[in-house]
Every structure is written in structure tokens, then in C-alpha cells.
Amino acid sequence: MNRFGFLIHPLGMRDVVRHLPNVAGKRPPLVEKVLEWTPSYHASHIHGIRSTLDGREVEGDFFTVPLFPHQILNLDRQFVLNRVLDACRLAEERGAQIIGLGGYTSVVGSAGRTVADTIQAAVTSGNSYTVATAIEGATAAARALEIDMTRASVAVVGATGSIGSVCSRILARQGVGRLNLVARSTSRLQALAETIRRETPRAAVALDTDIEAGIHDADVIVTCTTSGGGILRPEALKSGCVICDVAVPHDVCREVAQLRPDVLVLEGGVVEAPGEARFNFDFGFPEGICLACMAETMTLALEGRFEDFSIGRGLEMEKVEEIQRLATRHGFRLAGFRAFDEPITTDRIEEVRALARDHRKGLRVVSS
Ligand SMILES: NC(=O)c1ccc[n+]([C@@H]2O[C@H](COP(=O)([O-])OP(=O)(O)OC[C@H]3O[C@@H](n4cnc5c(N)ncnc54)[C@H](OP(=O)(O)O)[C@@H]3O)[C@@H](O)[C@H]2O)c1
């Protein structure tokens, strides 16, 4: 049976406490120090992934790089890279033929390039399938709110990243009304806009380094930054908009759930795995549900495609299409819409639609 490994890391104190309850109540700087001293470790065994195409099975393991997102971004680069490489070597020792770099572990070492060059097993960030499912989810949610993507103003926040750039290029090619590219670096935004204008000359593209300005008139937002979370605030959002939040930790701050009942937030890249998938690890989803980056790694293991599939910041549009086709044929499916740890009901979608309609008529939206 083909085997894969997948690297994870805690997103915040909640994740650490979930696995180490005696850490509850300890001061964050102390917990961070303890994490710095803790080596990467095997977290759980994954089994029951069975292709609906031919019944083929794969199994694998989660490995934890015990560092918070901001530690991965800000600690000494070589130190962090070594932690990621240590976790990959543990995966290789357990027989992984392909290793997925989850969360921020794919951001280090030139977006996974150094890890892929150092490790013998194949390596992928899982970002191609993440893009495919984010676009699929955002488009389905827009349809549910009767937003016509071909006329809509669509913003991609984190547009210049590995996920954001190919996502923006595909959205431009699919023909959205207007595309707002949002990130902090102007030069990278300009380079991306030039690529898009070259590939899709008819695309209407605007740039913004100010998030609020970049999203205030957006009907649809795909957000995929490594900001550490919480950068999309309730007051900045257009009534009736859809936000597909791909970032982990999430870019949409939790107040949006209370203060903006007239917008529809969904977690991007949430996928149902085929078979009787058992992850034996609580990462906040119901049994059998995982992230698209995990699903990409499993799909490649099912296919026996032991190659560095999604590595670096310049992902290919063709690979996004290919992995979507492969994942679908093995039975991976977009999970129902979820946000803020809960499934989104049809009543909730109807509520957003009604509140947005009232807002357009000039009636006030009252939050619960
Ligand atoms: N749901 C899933 O299955 C899944 C799978 C893989 C990854 N992810 C998540 O997706 C996100 C992006 O991953 P990636 O590999 O594409 O990362 P990346 O290549 O490092 O790109 C990050 C992007 O965010 C922008 N950015 C960073 N901080 C920002 C801020 N404070 N304000 C505005 N823009 C900011 C960066 O541009 P500037 O530096 O110019 O601002 C860049 O455009 C991460 O949160 C990751 O955990 C989710």
C-alpha cells in the first residue's frame, strides 16, 4: 500500500491545550519557549482512505512541527527549516513516499523548494488542490447568493502568494467582472497584474496594498494570507458578499460571525475524503473531513505520483485542473459549506440573502 506523510503545526493555544491539557492557563511566552524546545514528532496514524474508483487504499501519518505560525515566520530561518526537515525525515522513516507540507510549513525555504530539494521522498504543499476547491467553493457560494461572477467585483487578499497568485490568474481567465489584487508588496502585485494582463488581456484588474480599500466593494473575496489571522474586520465588508477564507489560521476575524449576519463566510479548501477515513487526530472537523492540501497529498499517493507536485510560488494553472480531476475521480468532494467551526445551513444562506436584499432597499441590518 502506498504511504504518505503530512506535516501539521499548532495554530494557537487552543490546539496546544487540546493535545496537552496541562498547558491550559500557562503564559503564552512560556508555552512558546516549550514549543521551541520540543522536537518534531509523530502525531497520528491515518487509515481508511479508499478510492471510489477502484477500491485502492492508502495510509499515512501526521507529524507535528510544534511551532505557532508566527514562530515559523519569525524565528531563525535555518532553525525552522531544520524542524520541518526533521519531521520529513520521521515521515520517511515510516515509509512515506510523498510528504505534504501543511499550514505554514510550506512557506519556509522558498515555498517548499529547499525541503523538496533536500528530502528524498516527493514533497507537495497541497496548494494546487486548495486553489481548485477554493474557487469551486467561492463560485458555489456566490451562486447560492445569486451573485453573477461574470459581473462581480472579486478580491483576492494575499494575491501574490503561492495560492493567491494562481487563484487570481484562474479567476481572471474564467472572466469575473473586476479583479482586485490585495497584498502588502506593490512590486509583487504589479508583477502579478502584468502576468494576468498578458495571459488574459480582457481582464479588468486593480491593485491595492490597503486591505479595507481593496475589499470594500467586493461581492466575492478569496482570502489566503499568512498574516496570522483576523485581518478581515466586520466594518470593511460589503453587505451580501461571500468570503471564502482559505487562510489557516483564518483571515476573517470571529466578530464577523456576530456583527455581520448579512455576509456569508465559508472556510475554503474543506474536503470530504473517500472511504472510511480515520485521521485519529482532532483538527476541528467532523470525522472524514480534511483540508484540501491533505487531500492533494492523499490523491498523489493513490495515483502513485511520487513527484514534487505543488512547490514554489509559481504554481501552474494546468496542475490545478489536473489535481482537481484526479481527486474527483478518486472520490474526494468539496465538503458542505462550513464557517466558524459549524456547518452552514440553507436557512443561514437564505438569511444572508434576505438581509442583503433589505440592505439594498435601505433597511438596516441588525446583528444578533
Ligand atoms: N485550506 C487549505 O487547505 C490550505 C492549504 C494550504 C495552505 N493554506 C493556507 O493558505 C494561506 C496562504 O498560503 P501560501 O502558501 O499561499 O502562502 P504564501 O505563498 O506565503 O503567500 C501569502 C500571501 O499573503 C500575503 N500577506 C501576508 N501577510 C499579509 C498581511 N498582513 N496582509 C495582507 N497580505 C498579507 C503575502 O504577500 P505580502 O507579503 O506582499 O503581503 C502573500 O501574497 C496560509 O494561511 C496557509 O496556511 C490553506
Side-chain angles (χ1 to χ4, degrees), residues 192-214:
L192 174 64
E194 265 171 43
T195 304
I196 291 175
R197 287 186 190 117
R198 199 173 49 246
E199 288 173 346
T200 313
R202 68 188 147 78
V205 183
L207 317 179
D208 230 305
T209 52
D210 180 285
I211 295 185
E212 299 212 349

Side-chain angles (χ1 to χ4, degrees), residues 340-360:
F340 307 111
D341 308 321
E342 307 246 322
I344 298 171
T345 61
T346 45
D347 285 354
R348 169 76 189 111
I349 294 172
E350 190 42 54
E351 181 193 25
V352 177
R353 213 161 33 192
L355 288 171
R357 212 179 295 133
D358 288 352
H359 182 88
R360 278 196 297 275

Side-chain angles (χ1 to χ4, degrees), residues 136-259:
E136 190 184 342
T139 307
R143 200 180 309 120
L145 289 191
E146 295 164 353
I147 296 170
D148 175 358
M149 289 291 271
T150 64
R151 302 165 76 107
S153 170
V154 178
V156 180
V157 184
T160 52
S162 168
I163 292 173
S165 57
V166 73
C167 190
S168 304
R169 291 164 58 209
I170 293 174
L171 286 166
R173 196 177 60 176
Q174 288 181 346
V176 297
R178 193 164 63 110
L179 192 58
N180 287 358
L181 308 174
V182 185
R184 291 169 305 178
S185 156
T186 307
S187 57
R188 283 201 287 269
L189 281 171
Q190 282 166 341
L192 174 64
E194 265 171 43
T195 304
I196 291 175
R197 287 186 190 117
R198 199 173 49 246
E199 288 173 346
T200 313
R202 68 188 147 78
V205 183
L207 317 179
D208 230 305
T209 52
D210 180 285
I211 295 185
E212 299 212 349
I215 64 170
H216 82 280
D217 70 342
D219 304 297
V220 177
I221 302 169
V222 178
T223 188
C224 46
T225 79
T226 45
S227 63
I231 55 168
L232 264 56
R233 311 244 355 122
E235 57 278 8
L237 305 167
K238 179 175 174 179
S239 185
C241 75
V242 164
I243 310 171
C244 179
D245 192 350
V246 183
V248 182
H250 296 311
D251 280 341
V252 178
C253 67
R254 287 191 86 89
E255 288 98 306
V256 170
Q258 280 82 49
L259 301 177

Side-chain angles (χ1 to χ4, degrees), residues 308-336:
D308 301 336
F309 194 84
S310 309
I311 287 297
R313 280 199 163 164
L315 298 183
E316 295 163 33
M317 292 195 269
E318 294 70 25
K319 282 197 163 174
V320 173
E321 283 167 15
E322 182 184 16
I323 195 71
Q324 185 164 34
R325 188 170 46 75
L326 296 177
T328 304
R329 79 183 190 133
H330 285 294
F332 290 92
R333 299 266 173 279
L334 202 64

